[in-house]
């Protein structure tokens, strides 16, 4: 008996190991009917994380707390606009899954 194994190795960005960054990246990646380059998704995630770090968000629990504040809706809009600016897309389609996940 012989077993053939094919292995593909990829180095994922560091931010994919952190809760909020991983959530943002995954939701931006989930956008249907939009082909966005990976480097644009990474740049959008990094910019969103800069904004969240200014607010002291390090975990998903911290993110939830920030979103439940009175100005949580403004934070969602800010993160959505930041992501769209980095992606370079004027429609809201690429950031819609992220915004919906943050609303939940």
């Amino acid at each position: 008996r012989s077993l053939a194994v094919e292995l593909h190795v990829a180095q994922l960005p560091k931010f994919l190991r952190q809760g909020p960054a991983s959530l943002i990246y995954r939701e931006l990646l989930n956008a249907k009917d939009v082909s966005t380059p990976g480097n644009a998704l990474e740049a959008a995630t990094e910019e969103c994380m800069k904004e969240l770090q200014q607010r002291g968000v390090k975990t998903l629990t911290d993110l939830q707390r920030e979103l439940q504040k009175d100005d949580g809706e403004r934070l969602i809009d800010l993160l959505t606009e930041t992501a769209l600016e980095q992606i370079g897309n004027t429609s809201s389609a690429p950031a819609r899954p992220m915004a919906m996940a943050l609303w939940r």
Side-chain angles (χ1 to χ4, degrees):
R1 256 185 197 175
S2 66
L3 178 63
V5 176
E6 187 173 325
L7 179 65
H8 297 271
V9 178
Q11 183 175 2
L12 298 174
K14 179 183 174 186
F15 60 76
L16 285 179
R17 293 182 229 136
Q18 301 168 356
S22 178
L23 172 70
I24 291 169
Y25 186 83
R26 185 178 62 243
E27 294 303 329
L28 287 172
L29 193 60
N30 280 338
K32 303 268 190 273
D33 303 325
V34 178
S35 59
T36 306
N39 60 349
L41 294 176
E42 290 177 21
T45 303
E46 288 172 2
E47 287 301 314
C48 288
M49 285 308 299
K50 285 179 186 176
E51 179 61 37
L52 292 175
Q53 286 173 351
Q54 289 176 355
R55 296 171 181 256
V57 174
K58 294 181 181 175
T59 65
L60 288 174
T61 305
D62 295 340
L63 178 60
Q64 182 180 19
R65 186 186 67 244
E66 284 295 315
L67 293 172
Q68 290 176 345
K69 288 183 177 178
D70 290 337
D71 66 342
E73 184 177 333
R74 290 181 53 209
L75 177 58
I76 292 171
D77 291 340
L78 176 64
L79 293 175
T80 302
E81 291 299 319
T82 301
L84 290 173
E85 182 180 300
Q86 292 300 313
I87 291 172
N89 193 326
T90 56
S91 81
S92 62
R96 185 172 291 128
M98 180 188 75
M100 295 306 294
L102 294 175
W103 275 106
R104 285 185 258 141

